[in-house]
Amino acid sequence: MEKFVHKKSLGQNFLKDEQVLQRIANSIETNDNDLIIEIGPGEGALTKYLKEKKGKLICYEVDERLTKYLSLLESENCKIIYQDFLQANLDEIENNTYDNIHFIANIPYYITTPIIEKITNSNLNVKDMVFLVQKEVAERLSAKPKNKEYGALTVILNYDYDIEYLFTVKKEVFEPIPKVDSAVIKMKKIERINKALNEERFKKIVKDSFAMKRKNIRNNLKNYDLNIVGKALTKYGYTFQNRAEEFALDFFIDLANLLENNK
Ligand code: SAM
């Protein structure tokens, strides 16, 4: 077969280490009635291991030049859709047909956040997501408060998912070799007990709290009712001088609920 010319613009760094590929595939557990969705199968390196798992598999690949590799993997249980995942209509997936939906991907780095946002904003019954991402992004998404990597997306994702940093993947096992190492993260959907009364408002408050990372919470939330913000801060032993990166998820939920109740 003619040598494949990788497109940098599509983040085409293919993973060549079979042990790592197998480890990624093994990080989800599936049943016969589950659906696995792979984004960016490339030449099918991970796809071939996913095919061995229980359940159905749907893969979204934007580059039609990869048909020559992927068509060999197609079957009744493995469907390849040649489309930009960000343009895909996820409402077409028959959510109720499956017990659980799993997302898995070695995703192009430049669209990591839009991909995660698209999935988390969808109505799909997502059980978990396993992504190979830039190491720095994996650290950010799995960061805890008071860590410099902790940010708005981390807080918002932690509301619905338990996020675990699984393992680091050295850059040398990709072709072509990228500039930085990668890591695998797993996000497992959780049933939250302490809920925000208005989840959209909660997300807005989190984003506003982190708007200017170096500013304290008084500055970032200066357009909110500062009396109420003060009450929430006191409850958690924080002050107006603290910065959003120091606050636990529960603080943001409580603050959102206090503001919602005092509209
Ligand atoms: N899964 C393969 C592997 O692990 O070797 C390939 C991973 S490579 C990092 C990313 C893949 O995503 C490429 O095949 C690329 O063509 C595809 N891709 C890039 N942007 C995409 C998009 N918006 N929708 C679907 N696939 C995309």
Side-chain angles (χ1 to χ4, degrees):
M1 223 183 262
E2 225 174 89
K3 199 165 167 11
F4 183 78
V5 180
H6 300 83
K7 273 195 187 161
K8 206 175 167 188
S9 61
L10 292 177
Q12 288 179 338
N13 300 91
F14 294 160
L15 182 47
K16 294 293 172 189
D17 186 317
E18 296 300 323
Q19 264 184 339
V20 174
L21 286 160
Q22 212 156 7
R23 218 172 145 193
I24 297 174
N26 286 344
S27 56
I28 53 166
E29 259 178 58
T30 61
N31 293 319
D32 288 333
N33 207 28
D34 284 4
L35 172 67
I36 306 172
I37 301 178
E38 187 190 2
I39 307 159
E43 294 174 336
L46 179 61
T47 322
K48 66 179 185 292
Y49 292 111
L50 296 176
K51 266 192 78 168
E52 290 171 7
K53 300 188 81 76
K54 290 180 180 167
K56 283 205 168 200
L57 176 60
I58 296 179
C59 307
Y60 290 90
E61 174 54 63
V62 73
D63 188 350
E64 289 196 35
R65 294 178 306 148
L66 291 158
T67 316
K68 59 182 175 194
Y69 305 94
L70 293 173
S71 60
L72 306 172
L73 293 167
E74 264 183 290
S75 69
E76 200 186 320
N77 273 339
C78 174
K79 191 172 161 195
I80 316 278
I81 300 174
Y82 293 94
Q83 189 185 13
D84 177 346
F85 176 73
L86 295 176
Q87 303 299 324
N89 180 2
L90 298 184
D91 291 337
E92 282 172 2
I93 293 169
E94 289 159 341
N95 199 23
N96 298 329
T97 315
Y98 304 103
D99 290 345
N100 301 295
I101 296 180
H102 311 263
F103 276 89
I104 192 158
N106 169 9
I107 44 181
Y109 299 147
Y110 62 99
I111 46 170
T112 304
T113 304
I115 285 178
I116 293 176
E117 284 179 341
K118 180 170 175 112
I119 298 168
T120 53
N121 291 332
S122 77
N123 293 318
L124 295 178
N125 175 23
V126 179
K127 181 173 186 197
D128 45 34
M129 302 184 260
V130 169
F131 292 139
L132 178 59
V133 295
Q134 258 180 331
K135 186 163 180 257
E136 187 196 309
V137 175
E139 283 167 352
R140 177 147 51 86
L141 295 180
S142 56
K144 302 284 173 246
K146 297 194 178 149
N147 185 308
K148 70 173 171 37
E149 302 294 344
Y150 186 71
L153 184 61
T154 319
V155 178
I156 292 170
L157 281 177
N158 267 288
Y159 182 83
D160 285 313
Y161 296 89
D162 178 37
I163 306 176
E164 197 185 346
Y165 184 109
L166 294 185
F167 55 93
T168 305
V169 182
K170 289 279 172 207
K171 60 181 191 294
E172 290 76 18
V173 297
F174 294 90
E175 188 187 311
I177 299 175
K179 287 204 177 76
V180 293
D181 289 339
S182 296
V184 179
I185 46 162
K186 180 168 184 175
M187 303 187 233
K188 234 180 335 179
K189 184 87 193 227
I190 48 171
E191 231 5 275
R192 170 155 295 286
I193 300 161
N194 175 21
K195 283 186 180 242
L197 299 168
N198 179 338
E199 291 181 356
E200 285 316 305
R201 196 179 166 99
F202 156 76
K203 288 182 192 169
K204 168 100 175 60
I205 290 167
V206 174
K207 285 181 185 161
D208 287 343
S209 300
F210 282 91
M212 286 174 287
K213 266 209 108 175
R214 300 159 80 90
K215 300 256 176 180
N216 63 28
I217 196 72
R218 182 192 290 278
N219 275 303
N220 277 330
L221 295 187
K222 63 175 185 288
N223 295 327
Y224 285 78
D225 182 335
L226 289 180
N227 257 331
I228 294 174
V229 178
K231 270 190 204 155
L233 288 168
T234 309
K235 181 173 167 196
Y236 283 81
Y238 305 137
T239 73
F240 278 112
Q241 304 315 314
N242 287 115
R243 289 195 293 213
E245 66 197 42
E246 298 170 90
F247 301 152
L249 168 63
D250 280 342
F251 163 77
F252 291 106
I253 299 172
D254 268 11
L255 172 60
N257 288 349
L258 274 175
L259 289 163
E260 185 68 16
N261 282 330
N262 285 281
K263 268 197 296 196

